[in-house]
PDB file of all heavy atoms in Angstrom:
ATOM      1  N   PRO A 120      10.101  27.945   4.933  1.00  0.00           N
ATOM      2  CA  PRO A 120       8.883  27.138   5.054  1.00  0.00           C
ATOM      3  C   PRO A 120       8.601  26.697   3.533  1.00  0.00           C
ATOM      4  O   PRO A 120       8.747  27.479   2.699  1.00  0.00           O
ATOM      5  CB  PRO A 120       7.929  28.193   5.555  1.00  0.00           C
ATOM      6  CG  PRO A 120       8.352  29.536   5.345  1.00  0.00           C
ATOM      7  CD  PRO A 120       9.919  29.379   5.289  1.00  0.00           C
ATOM      8  N   ARG A 121       8.035  25.494   3.537  1.00  0.00           N
ATOM      9  CA  ARG A 121       7.670  24.913   2.289  1.00  0.00           C
ATOM     10  C   ARG A 121       6.514  24.032   2.414  1.00  0.00           C
ATOM     11  O   ARG A 121       6.310  23.410   3.546  1.00  0.00           O
ATOM     12  CB  ARG A 121       8.847  24.036   1.656  1.00  0.00           C
ATOM     13  CG  ARG A 121      10.022  24.914   1.206  1.00  0.00           C
ATOM     14  CD  ARG A 121      10.996  23.955   0.629  1.00  0.00           C
ATOM     15  NE  ARG A 121      12.231  24.535   0.378  1.00  0.00           N
ATOM     16  CZ  ARG A 121      12.883  24.544  -0.996  1.00  0.00           C
ATOM     17  NH1 ARG A 121      12.316  23.892  -1.925  1.00  0.00           N
ATOM     18  NH2 ARG A 121      13.992  25.093  -1.113  1.00  0.00           N
ATOM     19  N   ALA A 122       5.905  23.545   1.334  1.00  0.00           N
ATOM     20  CA  ALA A 122       4.881  22.417   1.294  1.00  0.00           C
ATOM     21  C   ALA A 122       5.783  21.195   0.992  1.00  0.00           C
ATOM     22  O   ALA A 122       6.403  21.125  -0.063  1.00  0.00           O
ATOM     23  CB  ALA A 122       3.862  22.677   0.128  1.00  0.00           C
ATOM     24  N   ARG A 123       5.623  20.191   1.748  1.00  0.00           N
ATOM     25  CA  ARG A 123       6.447  18.978   1.597  1.00  0.00           C
ATOM     26  C   ARG A 123       5.496  17.797   1.475  1.00  0.00           C
ATOM     27  O   ARG A 123       4.356  17.691   2.005  1.00  0.00           O
ATOM     28  CB  ARG A 123       7.315  18.664   2.905  1.00  0.00           C
ATOM     29  CG  ARG A 123       8.377  19.846   3.065  1.00  0.00           C
ATOM     30  CD  ARG A 123       9.344  19.971   2.086  1.00  0.00           C
ATOM     31  NE  ARG A 123      10.568  20.638   2.391  1.00  0.00           N
ATOM     32  CZ  ARG A 123      11.721  20.797   1.720  1.00  0.00           C
ATOM     33  NH1 ARG A 123      11.680  20.309   0.508  1.00  0.00           N
ATOM     34  NH2 ARG A 123      12.649  21.502   2.152  1.00  0.00           N
ATOM     35  N   GLU A 124       6.021  16.713   0.776  1.00  0.00           N
ATOM     36  CA  GLU A 124       5.227  15.439   0.717  1.00  0.00           C
ATOM     37  C   GLU A 124       6.048  14.392   1.390  1.00  0.00           C
ATOM     38  O   GLU A 124       7.303  14.331   1.464  1.00  0.00           O
ATOM     39  CB  GLU A 124       5.113  15.100  -0.724  1.00  0.00           C
ATOM     40  CG  GLU A 124       4.137  16.002  -1.442  1.00  0.00           C
ATOM     41  CD  GLU A 124       4.020  15.708  -2.893  1.00  0.00           C
ATOM     42  OE1 GLU A 124       4.700  14.976  -3.451  1.00  0.00           O
ATOM     43  OE2 GLU A 124       3.014  16.219  -3.550  1.00  0.00           O
ATOM     44  N   VAL A 125       5.353  13.435   1.850  1.00  0.00           N
ATOM     45  CA  VAL A 125       5.913  12.287   2.557  1.00  0.00           C
ATOM     46  C   VAL A 125       5.278  11.020   1.986  1.00  0.00           C
ATOM     47  O   VAL A 125       3.972  10.938   2.046  1.00  0.00           O
ATOM     48  CB  VAL A 125       5.736  12.331   4.068  1.00  0.00           C
ATOM     49  CG1 VAL A 125       6.308  11.034   4.722  1.00  0.00           C
ATOM     50  CG2 VAL A 125       6.287  13.640   4.717  1.00  0.00           C
ATOM     51  N   TYR A 126       5.936  10.195   1.453  1.00  0.00           N
ATOM     52  CA  TYR A 126       5.424   8.861   1.070  1.00  0.00           C
ATOM     53  C   TYR A 126       5.448   7.748   2.090  1.00  0.00           C
ATOM     54  O   TYR A 126       6.414   7.725   2.846  1.00  0.00           O
ATOM     55  CB  TYR A 126       6.101   8.265  -0.131  1.00  0.00           C
ATOM     56  CG  TYR A 126       5.970   9.164  -1.501  1.00  0.00           C
ATOM     57  CD1 TYR A 126       7.198   9.672  -2.131  1.00  0.00           C
ATOM     58  CD2 TYR A 126       4.733   9.532  -2.049  1.00  0.00           C
ATOM     59  CE1 TYR A 126       7.082  10.423  -3.178  1.00  0.00           C
ATOM     60  CE2 TYR A 126       4.661  10.301  -3.157  1.00  0.00           C
ATOM     61  CZ  TYR A 126       5.821  10.808  -3.692  1.00  0.00           C
ATOM     62  OH  TYR A 126       5.728  11.575  -4.822  1.00  0.00           O
ATOM     63  N   VAL A 127       4.335   7.094   2.320  1.00  0.00           N
ATOM     64  CA  VAL A 127       4.369   6.079   3.202  1.00  0.00           C
ATOM     65  C   VAL A 127       3.890   4.766   2.525  1.00  0.00           C
ATOM     66  O   VAL A 127       2.888   4.664   1.968  1.00  0.00           O
ATOM     67  CB  VAL A 127       3.147   6.294   4.291  1.00  0.00           C
ATOM     68  CG1 VAL A 127       3.062   5.210   5.348  1.00  0.00           C
ATOM     69  CG2 VAL A 127       3.460   7.645   5.031  1.00  0.00           C
ATOM     70  N   LYS A 128       4.867   3.726   2.559  1.00  0.00           N
ATOM     71  CA  LYS A 128       4.734   2.483   1.846  1.00  0.00           C
ATOM     72  C   LYS A 128       4.713   1.357   2.790  1.00  0.00           C
ATOM     73  O   LYS A 128       5.694   1.249   3.634  1.00  0.00           O
ATOM     74  CB  LYS A 128       5.889   2.362   0.794  1.00  0.00           C
ATOM     75  CG  LYS A 128       6.023   1.111   0.152  1.00  0.00           C
ATOM     76  CD  LYS A 128       5.036   0.860  -1.009  1.00  0.00           C
ATOM     77  CE  LYS A 128       5.009  -0.473  -1.606  1.00  0.00           C
ATOM     78  NZ  LYS A 128       4.086  -0.627  -2.582  1.00  0.00           N
ATOM     79  N   ILE A 129       3.611   0.642   2.795  1.00  0.00           N
ATOM     80  CA  ILE A 129       3.626  -0.509   3.650  1.00  0.00           C
ATOM     81  C   ILE A 129       3.720  -1.821   2.826  1.00  0.00           C
ATOM     82  O   ILE A 129       3.082  -2.044   1.865  1.00  0.00           O
ATOM     83  CB  ILE A 129       2.170  -0.516   4.397  1.00  0.00           C
ATOM     84  CG1 ILE A 129       1.886   0.869   4.918  1.00  0.00           C
ATOM     85  CG2 ILE A 129       2.117  -1.662   5.463  1.00  0.00           C
ATOM     86  CD1 ILE A 129       0.567   0.940   5.731  1.00  0.00           C
ATOM     87  N   ILE A 130       4.607  -2.625   3.338  1.00  0.00           N
ATOM     88  CA  ILE A 130       4.929  -3.967   2.748  1.00  0.00           C
ATOM     89  C   ILE A 130       4.628  -5.027   3.786  1.00  0.00           C
ATOM     90  O   ILE A 130       5.079  -5.018   4.879  1.00  0.00           O
ATOM     91  CB  ILE A 130       6.502  -4.117   2.462  1.00  0.00           C
ATOM     92  CG1 ILE A 130       6.990  -3.083   1.538  1.00  0.00           C
ATOM     93  CG2 ILE A 130       6.850  -5.515   2.071  1.00  0.00           C
ATOM     94  CD1 ILE A 130       6.919  -3.345   0.010  1.00  0.00           C
TER      95      ILE A 130
END
Side-chain angles (χ1 to χ4, degrees):
Chain A
R121 289 184 190 231
R123 299 295 197 176
E124 293 181 344
V125 181
Y126 295 122
V127 178
K128 173 75 182 177
I129 310 181
I130 298 270

